[in-house]
Amino acid sequence: MNKAMPDINKGIVDGDNEYNEAVELVNNKNFYKSMEKAESAGDNYNKSKNRLLEIRGNFSSEVNSVHKDYINTLIDEVEYKLKAVDLLKEAIECFEVNSNYTGSNYGFEANDAMNQAVEYQNQRDIIVRDNQNLFKQSFGI
């Protein structure tokens, strides 16, 4: 678990950056590039999610409940980010064919999903804050 966390975190950060770039590109009506960034964000989130699911699948009795809560919260966060990516891609496809009303609705839903993800990210930050010594020793966070 400890060795995987830097790669998992990097995938999430890279996914976040690409998602934000995709949104900016949509706003600038660069739909092709936006779709590329959204797909790349989804790839990064999926890689992180798969690693997290692998970690969760290998939990042993020695893994404490704080680490379990952290991993489960992180999985929930990534799942909402993946949902946001899928909705953003739907929005892009609608904008490409000038279905702006439907595209905007998908965009609002993507924003809502990302806001849910941020709530899980905030929960994760609280878990780390309340257990700083445990996370410094384990994850180097």
Side-chain angles (χ1 to χ4, degrees), residues 94-136:
C94 290
F95 291 136
E96 285 179 320
V97 296
N98 294 316
S99 183
N100 294 336
Y101 178 79
T102 304
S104 293
N105 284 336
Y106 280 120
F108 291 134
E109 289 180 39
N111 190 51
D112 289 345
M114 194 54 78
N115 285 337
Q116 281 292 126
V118 169
E119 287 184 32
Y120 281 106
Q121 184 176 344
N122 291 339
Q123 287 178 14
R124 197 166 45 94
D125 291 344
I126 290 168
I127 292 170
V128 172
R129 184 195 69 213
D130 292 347
N131 300 279
Q132 288 181 8
N133 290 337
L134 181 63
F135 282 91
K136 284 181 184 175

Side-chain angles (χ1 to χ4, degrees), residues 11-108:
I12 293 169
V13 168
D14 289 348
D16 290 345
N17 290 334
E18 290 165 337
Y19 181 87
N20 290 332
E21 288 177 39
V23 170
E24 188 174 319
L25 288 162
V26 167
N27 291 336
N28 291 324
K29 299 185 189 309
N30 188 340
F31 304 127
Y32 179 79
K33 270 288 204 197
S34 178
M35 185 62 83
E36 284 183 343
K37 289 291 182 179
E39 288 174 353
S40 184
D43 289 345
N44 275 304
Y45 292 145
N46 270 316
K47 286 177 192 173
S48 292
K49 179 184 172 186
N50 289 337
R51 297 285 306 270
L52 289 163
L53 291 173
E54 184 180 312
I55 288 169
R56 184 169 72 184
N58 292 323
F59 277 161
S60 65
S61 59
E62 295 92 46
V63 176
N64 67 51
S65 63
V66 173
H67 283 147
K68 288 179 182 178
D69 288 345
Y70 181 86
I71 295 298
N72 287 326
T73 301
L74 186 51
I75 289 169
D76 290 338
E77 175 187 334
V78 173
E79 286 176 343
Y80 272 101
K81 288 180 176 186
L82 282 164
K83 181 178 180 179
V85 166
D86 289 342
L87 290 163
L88 180 61
K89 287 166 41 176
E90 291 286 341
I92 294 166
E93 289 174 356
C94 290
F95 291 136
E96 285 179 320
V97 296
N98 294 316
S99 183
N100 294 336
Y101 178 79
T102 304
S104 293
N105 284 336
Y106 280 120
F108 291 134

